[in-house]
Amino acid sequence: MVRSNSSKPLLKTLSKAVGITALSLGAAFVQAADTIKVGVLHSLSGTMAISETTLKDTVLMMVEEQNKKGGLLGKKLEAVVVDPASNWPLFAEKTRELLEKDKVDVIFGCWTSVSRKSVLPVVEELNGLLFYPVQYEGEESSKNVFYTGAAPNQQAIPAVDYLMNEVGAKRWVLAGTDYVYPRTTNKILESYLKSKGVDAKDIMISYTPFGHSDWQTIVSDIKKFGASGKKTAVVSTINGDANVPFYKELANQGVSAENIPVVAFSVGEEELSGFDAKPLVGHLAAWNYFMSAESDANDAFIDQWHAYTKNEDRVTNDPMEATYIGFEMWAKAVTKAKSVSVDDVRQAMYGMTVPNLTGGLAKMNTNHHLSKPVLIGEIQEDGQFDIVWKTQSEVKGDAWTDYLPESKHLISDWTAPIQCGNYNTVTKTCGGAQVATGQ
Amino acid sequence: MRMVHGLLLWLIACSISQSVLAATDVEATVSQSSQAPSIMTLQSLIDTLPTASYDEKSILIRSIAEKSTDDSLAILTALLQGDLFYIKKTQQLVYRAPTEGKQYRAIAALTGEILGEYKNRKLKKVGINNKLRGELKNAIALVQLKSPDSRVRQHAVDALMGSLQPEYLPLIHQALLVEKDNQIREPLMVAKAVLDLSSKETELYRSAINTLHGSLYPAARIALIKFIEAPHHHSSSVLIDQAKQAIASIDQKVKLNNIAENVYFGIALGAVLLLAAIGLAITFGVMGVINMAHGEMIMLGAYTTFVVQQCMPNHLNYSLLVAIPAAFLVSGLVGVLIERSVIRHLYGRTLETLLATFGISLILQQAVRSIFGPLNQDVNTPDWMAGTFSVNPGLALTYNRLYIILFSLLLLAALALVLKKTLFGLQMRAVTLNRPMASSMGIKTGWVDALTFGLGSGIAGIAGVALSQLTNVGPNLGQAYIIDSFMVVVFGGVGNLWGTLVGAMSLGIANKVFEPLAGAVLAKIIVLVAIILFIQKRPRGLFALKGRAVEG
């Protein structure tokens, strides 16, 4: 019969088709369960959104790029983005969610120190892995965190050295926002300056509340402090947003960079893209990366960023490079360890190197901090930095500063035999986890 | 190539050391700087600029300044302003002019010859650092000291005051000989006295100290202190005493200056508080609506300024004048919309209003974040708002604050006029005082409510225009001002414009009086505690409104 004749192959094709669908469905299933999950923990709303959104995009770009290269260990990467909304306790909750519910293999995230401190107990409890890409005050080393931003000796101390030796500064204003990072950094700097023979009366320290916008008095004080005939420099740990009115007031009161240079640790290309940089020309910033650095790797990174954001005007900055280095290192470590298990990856990270975007190699040390070069840049009218100084070689990040009595003898080494985040080299004991987590 | 380069610099260095030696004699420099044939031509000097290190550039700048011609001045000015580029390939020094199609036309620095079109990345700016920037400014100022324009000369003297060098003395002498303008003579005399005091010429000390007596230039005090501290085998104790008296007279004047300055800072801060609070004085003060979205109305005004500036990039100086009515309209309309859609259903229910307006504020913030992005926007400051007005050499008032003080007072006056002298103002007050009565007199109370809320919001928008000149224009702008605004209105007395003015000014001044004593953080806390105590004593603020509405 014609019918039965034709129905047989039809059935066959049908069953085949079903089979293939089932197979591919199954494959898809297997693949879905078998991606490597990358958690992204950056604020996408609230006050920190201004800085952190960029880092979220950077991680997504890196994930996309890695997937184009075929993923890792034969699996695709899958980004899991959450929004902790600039709310510090929410950072801890979202971390728990990422680790327990989404079961991510690694987290890239945090910006402020408060948010990191809030995440710390959770990643330690659940043995997660956090890459922290922002410059910070140090005095911390956790087994579960890799710090790819600068420690104080990779930013603050070299900047002060530059001002002291190249600019000839004799009097110092340490101005900062009133929270943990500026307070600790200024404490370190004050003791460093005194160790270099600077008199206490030549150091002025001033703190301002978050989002301070009325800088008249402080700028006027700085001006008076600087009018003593000795070269004066300002070391600013003023946080993000408050910088704009600060610099505007400096310019308005006629304080120029040649007279009283201001070196800032939280002003980068991204912050400057928000406003007219004319009043800032000549003021300084210390970072491990500037967009203006001339290297092929940097050109390629900038092109990639422009292509990803489809916007030629977007700038790159230091925390982006730190995110880039962290991601590349993690990817290399996973490949080397042939596993995404936190303990294996951690072991593979030690001694791992990744090219810096500014040239040379960034190396991960056993104290979970990087060795990186330090650069000083002068702000230009277009909001970019002109690199005026660079350290001869890479500077090794120091988790515990040598310039504070309480951390002078502490070191961090997460490999055998020490295996401790705050090992006291005098008493030869490990100080205990509660100090390591900064509680 | 490297050797030739080194040789060139060596030659330059020689010529400088010669001229420095010559500078010890006034007459000699005057005649030499204009006539002496220098070894290097200007062209050959600037040819070495692109590849020179910062130290080498410093030498080059000094020898270019030596030429003291219009051309050399132009080169130095361009270098200072970052207008000098070089072609990476040929290392020729050029200016650049944008062409259509994202290219730049390279124009040779001295000859003006056009060297072709280049992409942005093929041209590199001739970099300078702070040290060079300072040297350039001084070099330019020294040339400008001879300018026929008295304002240029004034500017030049001011620039030199900050970093006086002994080698400037001949030029200052020369300038003093011909200077007629007393405004410029005075700083020149001070500069001369400062340099005399640090020189070896003991017979000049007495008159120098006399000149510096009570002078408010920072350089004067520094010079006197150095004079006292220096080992003096050659000067009498009489001179030292005189110098001490001179310092004492300076210090006394400085003290007065500091008080004046603090008061000015306080008034300036008060003006900002006033601006932020005026709108709220209407919506909260007059209508009694706890409007948590008030800050966002300010933010909308600031964003309107940004949009207006984007629309008229060639007339930035006038953009603010256009932005003021525009911001009033935008914020006012949004205000009317909010009142009609949400608030009018909630009159008399304070808690619900608070929650609803808080929700609106979040919606507006996120809306702005979605449209403009989370980054701060670049709002330009017009030229006429930059700079300072100097009362005396030690006290300079910033123009932007001066304008904002004037503006806030004008705004308050205009609002008072609207309230007291117009029909709308009359109706508004009538509705506030007694709604049923006003309604029965034929006033459409619903519309008056909407327009009043619109007026308050519109004024907040205008405040946003002014604040965009002082602070960041971003989605969070409003949040920074909402608490301060409520503080001012409650402190001053709800529903009283006069109270808002007095409240804002006294809070501003109190803050600025405490700040130098206790630091910015503590000053704010002190002021807050003081307000809490004050409110305990007088719950209705400084100027309590009397009337039926208040009782009910």
Side-chain angles (χ1 to χ4, degrees):
Chain A
M1 273 203 317
V2 184
R3 246 185 205 189
S4 65
N5 264 351
S6 63
S7 75
K8 213 175 179 186
L10 190 83
L11 252 172
K12 238 185 195 168
T13 14
L14 231 154
S15 68
K16 235 188 208 166
V18 168
I20 289 169
T21 323
L23 242 172
S24 60
L25 254 176
F29 231 68
V30 169
Q31 204 179 37
D34 220 27
T35 54
I36 295 177
K37 287 191 173 178
V38 177
V40 186
L41 183 71
H42 283 300
S43 302
L44 310 178
S45 52
T47 48
M48 291 313 294
I50 176 174
S51 309
E52 292 193 62
T53 315
T54 314
L55 294 190
K56 177 216 56 172
D57 290 337
T58 311
V59 180
L60 293 184
M61 176 179 86
M62 302 295 298
V63 167
E64 191 187 283
E65 194 65 21
Q66 194 65 41
N67 279 339
K68 270 189 214 154
K69 288 189 240 163
L72 281 173
L73 309 177
K75 297 174 193 169
K76 289 277 174 202
L77 300 185
E78 181 193 345
V80 183
V81 180
V82 291
D83 177 15
S86 314
N87 174 345
W88 320 136
L90 197 58
F91 266 89
E93 270 174 53
K94 289 287 174 189
T95 310
R96 192 168 286 281
E97 185 185 312
L98 282 174
L99 289 174
E100 281 185 340
K101 198 177 120 241
D102 298 313
K103 306 222 179 301
V104 298
D105 298 298
V106 61
I107 298 173
F108 290 87
C110 298
W111 183 288
T112 60
S113 289
V114 210
S115 67
R116 189 192 65 253
K117 294 271 186 212
S118 140
V119 164
L120 215 48
V122 184
V123 284
E124 283 180 350
E125 177 199 329
L126 301 174
N127 196 23
L129 185 60
L130 172 71
F131 279 81
Y132 177 66
V134 183
Q135 105 280 6
Y136 83 120
E137 68 280 1
E139 307 298 275
E140 182 182 302
S141 178
S142 165
K143 196 173 91 177
N144 299 85
V145 182
F146 282 100
Y147 307 80
T148 57
N153 74 317
Q154 290 174 306
Q155 194 185 24
I157 302 269
V160 166
D161 281 341
Y162 171 79
L163 288 172
M164 203 183 281
N165 303 330
E166 310 285 320
V167 181
K170 301 266 189 299
R171 259 164 104 82
W172 302 84
V173 179
L174 309 180
T177 305
D178 201 4
Y179 75 109
V180 54
Y181 166 66
R183 285 222 175 237
T184 317
T185 308
N186 285 345
K187 220 160 79 185
I188 295 170
L189 287 181
E190 192 186 357
S191 116
Y192 179 71
L193 285 171
K194 283 181 178 161
S195 79
K196 292 276 169 186
V198 177
D199 205 49
K201 72 174 195 313
D202 284 333
I203 303 175
M204 166 178 147
I205 300 181
S206 100
Y207 290 105
T208 41
F210 260 101
H212 192 65
S213 63
D214 194 280
W215 291 95
Q216 300 179 90
T217 311
I218 287 170
V219 168
S220 157
D221 284 349
I222 291 175
K223 214 169 138 185
K224 282 176 208 144
F225 191 74
S228 73
K230 284 188 194 166
K231 181 80 186 174
T232 304
V234 180
V235 179
S236 152
T237 38
I238 295 163
N239 185 269
D241 267 21
N243 277 296
V244 180
F246 174 60
Y247 283 110
K248 275 192 179 171
E249 190 67 39
L250 278 175
N252 271 328
Q253 292 201 21
V255 178
S256 64
E258 310 90 72
N259 301 333
I260 304 181
V262 178
V263 60
F265 303 142
S266 4
V267 174
E269 289 85 349
E270 185 86 45
E271 287 75 19
L272 291 183
S273 71
F275 71 107
D276 184 14
K278 242 180 281 152
L280 281 79
V281 171
H283 287 303
L284 304 153
W287 292 106
N288 305 117
Y289 168 85
F290 286 113
M291 188 181 180
S292 60
E294 294 208 6
S295 80
D296 294 339
N298 190 28
D299 283 349
F301 183 70
I302 294 170
D303 286 343
Q304 190 190 346
W305 177 239
H306 286 168
Y308 181 79
T309 55
K310 298 188 183 65
N311 183 351
E312 289 275 314
D313 297 329
R314 287 298 291 273
V315 293
T316 55
N317 63 8
D318 177 273
M320 280 176 69
E321 195 219 19
T323 302
Y324 161 87
I325 292 176
F327 190 93
E328 292 280 297
M329 268 190 183
W330 171 76
K332 275 175 94 172
V334 167
T335 316
K336 186 177 159 198
K338 299 192 182 64
S339 152
V340 288
S341 128
V342 170
D343 294 316
D344 296 344
V345 172
R346 203 159 56 79
Q347 291 304 329
M349 284 291 290
Y350 303 130
M352 183 65 76
T353 57
V354 159
N356 290 310
L357 293 178
T358 55
L361 287 177
K363 188 177 126 215
M364 180 51 76
N365 300 301
T366 54
N367 64 358
H368 285 209
H369 289 69
L370 286 175
S371 292
K372 294 202 286 188
V374 185
L375 288 70
I376 308 274
E378 279 184 11
I379 299 172
Q380 303 295 301
E381 241 169 84
D382 54 1
Q384 287 290 320
F385 290 84
D386 198 7
I387 299 168
V388 291
W389 187 78
K390 189 176 176 179
T391 47
Q392 296 289 323
S393 58
E394 281 79 28
V395 179
K396 184 183 166 190
D398 188 9
W400 300 96
T401 183
D402 302 337
Y403 299 102
L404 288 181
E406 59 266 35
S407 64
K408 207 155 119 191
H409 302 297
L410 295 183
I411 60 158
S412 157
D413 186 347
W414 286 106
T415 51
I418 293 179
Q419 297 223 13
C420 173
N422 53 354
Y423 182 76
N424 191 318
T425 49
V426 177
T427 60
K428 310 268 182 221
T429 51
C430 189
Q434 70 274 22
V435 186
T437 57
Q439 281 168 357
Chain B
M1 177 65 207
R2 193 70 212 168
M3 262 185 67
V4 176
H5 197 110
L7 194 68
L8 263 169
L9 285 164
W10 181 77
L11 281 173
I12 297 163
C14 284
S15 72
I16 288 170
S17 59
Q18 272 177 2
S19 61
V20 169
L21 280 175
T24 43
D25 184 338
V26 183
E27 293 302 309
T29 353
V30 174
S31 57
Q32 269 193 10
S33 62
S34 51
Q35 287 161 16
S38 197
I39 312 167
M40 313 285 306
T41 66
L42 187 56
Q43 183 67 54
S44 57
L45 283 173
I46 65 169
D47 281 345
T48 47
L49 254 184
T51 48
S53 72
Y54 288 133
D55 288 343
E56 293 166 348
K57 275 180 190 155
S58 166
I59 299 172
L60 281 168
I61 287 168
R62 289 169 74 174
S63 40
I64 292 174
E66 293 273 303
K67 302 278 175 202
S68 194
T69 61
D70 287 348
D71 277 344
S72 66
L73 187 62
I75 293 282
L76 293 179
T77 316
L79 184 58
L80 177 64
Q81 286 170 350
D83 294 336
L84 273 188
F85 291 79
Y86 64 92
I87 304 168
K88 271 187 190 169
K89 223 180 221 163
T90 60
Q91 305 205 325
Q92 282 167 294
L93 198 66
V94 295
Y95 297 115
R96 65 172 201 189
T99 61
E100 288 138 45
K102 293 206 165 184
Q103 296 259 8
Y104 287 94
R105 185 171 296 134
I107 305 159
L110 266 187
T111 56
E113 190 189 341
I114 292 171
L115 299 174
E117 290 186 5
Y118 292 88
K119 268 195 186 146
N120 190 12
R121 282 194 180 178
K122 302 279 174 200
L123 297 175
K124 192 158 167 48
K125 192 188 274 184
V126 182
I128 52 173
N129 62 9
N130 277 324
K131 196 161 151 267
L132 292 180
R133 214 168 271 125
E135 288 173 7
L136 275 170
K137 278 191 182 167
N138 281 352
I140 292 169
L142 283 176
V143 179
Q144 283 177 337
L145 221 46
K146 299 173 196 145
S147 159
D149 185 347
S150 69
R151 271 200 314 204
V152 174
R153 290 203 304 275
Q154 171 99 53
H155 190 78
V157 179
D158 287 345
L160 286 178
M161 272 322 249
S163 52
L164 287 168
Q165 305 291 332
E167 62 255 37
Y168 301 165
L169 203 51
L171 282 165
I172 291 173
H173 262 290
Q174 201 191 340
L176 266 171
L177 287 178
V178 290
E179 188 59 67
K180 299 269 183 313
D181 192 336
N182 267 335
Q183 289 271 5
I184 307 171
R185 274 193 78 82
E186 196 208 322
L188 280 173
M189 298 284 285
V190 172
K192 180 179 169 303
V194 166
L195 291 175
D196 282 347
L197 210 55
S198 56
S199 72
K200 299 254 185 299
E201 320 272 329
T202 40
E203 68 273 20
L204 295 175
Y205 289 169
R206 185 179 302 273
S207 76
I209 293 173
N210 279 336
T211 313
L212 296 183
H213 190 92
S215 168
L216 282 167
Y217 289 95
R221 193 172 185 276
I222 298 168
L224 286 167
I225 287 186
K226 273 193 186 149
F227 178 75
I228 294 173
E229 285 172 355
H232 279 283
H233 21 272
H234 44 60
S235 57
S236 65
S237 60
V238 182
L239 275 179
I240 300 280
D241 280 346
Q242 274 183 351
K244 280 183 180 158
Q245 279 168 19
I247 292 177
S249 79
I250 291 175
D251 286 348
Q252 201 168 4
K253 280 193 186 173
V254 165
K255 213 177 255 171
L256 283 178
N257 253 355
N258 284 349
I259 294 172
E261 193 183 51
N262 265 338
V263 170
Y264 173 72
F265 286 165
I267 293 174
L269 177 62
V272 170
L273 292 175
L274 180 62
L275 271 175
I278 294 178
L280 196 72
I282 306 277
T283 52
F284 175 56
V286 176
M287 298 177 73
V289 175
I290 296 190
N291 180 15
M292 297 301 284
H294 172 71
E296 276 56 48
M297 297 298 149
I298 299 178
M299 174 196 73
L300 285 181
Y303 269 92
T304 310
T305 318
F306 167 71
V307 173
V308 166
Q309 287 197 343
Q310 294 298 304
C311 295
M312 44 192 293
N314 298 323
H315 304 280
L316 285 179
N317 279 341
Y318 309 106
S319 59
L320 291 190
L321 300 180
V322 180
I324 289 171
F328 181 79
L329 284 179
V330 170
S331 294
L333 281 177
V334 173
V336 170
L337 211 74
I338 293 173
E339 202 277 343
R340 284 291 87 183
S341 58
V342 180
I343 292 174
R344 77 174 162 138
H345 305 295
L346 298 171
Y347 280 124
R349 287 150 65 187
T350 325
L351 256 184
E352 283 93 327
T353 326
L354 189 146
L355 284 178
T357 48
F358 186 62
I360 292 170
S361 86
L362 291 180
I363 293 172
L364 286 174
Q365 274 174 42
Q366 200 54 44
V368 165
R369 200 173 278 134
S370 306
I371 298 169
F372 294 95
L375 298 181
N376 290 336
Q377 299 300 336
D378 179 3
V379 173
N380 276 291
T381 305
D383 296 334
W384 48 268
M385 277 189 88
T388 51
F389 168 73
S390 91
V391 181
N392 61 41
L395 179 64
L397 309 181
T398 46
Y399 274 125
N400 63 346
R401 302 274 174 179
L402 267 182
Y403 281 117
I404 280 179
I405 293 170
L406 288 179
F407 184 70
S408 67
L409 293 178
L410 274 179
L411 194 61
L412 186 76
L415 188 63
L417 266 181
V418 169
L419 286 183
K420 299 271 178 212
K421 301 282 177 198
T422 63
L423 180 64
F424 170 61
L426 186 68
Q427 292 180 343
M428 201 165 104
R429 283 181 294 144
V431 172
T432 319
L433 286 176
N434 195 325
R435 181 176 298 269
M437 186 61 87
S439 174
S440 60
M441 300 301 274
I443 296 174
K444 288 181 182 161
T445 56
W447 270 113
V448 171
D449 284 339
L451 288 179
T452 311
F453 199 85
L455 178 70
S457 304
I459 284 175
I462 294 182
V465 178
L467 292 179
S468 73
Q469 293 303 313
L470 290 181
T471 185
N472 295 300
V473 177
N476 302 319
L477 168 78
Q479 290 187 321
Y481 290 99
I482 183 79
I483 302 214
D484 286 342
S485 309
F486 271 104
M487 213 161 71
V488 167
V489 174
V490 171
F491 178 65
V494 173
N496 192 319
L497 280 187
W498 176 241
T500 308
L501 171 68
V502 177
M505 288 302 165
S506 39
L507 287 184
I509 294 175
N511 218 321
K512 285 297 164 189
V513 167
F514 288 127
E515 201 177 312
L517 303 176
V521 181
L522 214 58
K524 202 152 191 186
I525 295 173
I526 294 175
V527 168
L528 279 171
V529 169
I531 289 181
I532 292 172
L533 293 177
F534 180 83
I535 296 292
Q536 299 288 323
K537 212 74 192 128
R538 293 185 62 140
R540 291 210 191 112
L542 278 175
F543 299 87
L545 198 65
K546 292 179 188 72
R548 208 175 287 220
V550 188
E551 314 301 333

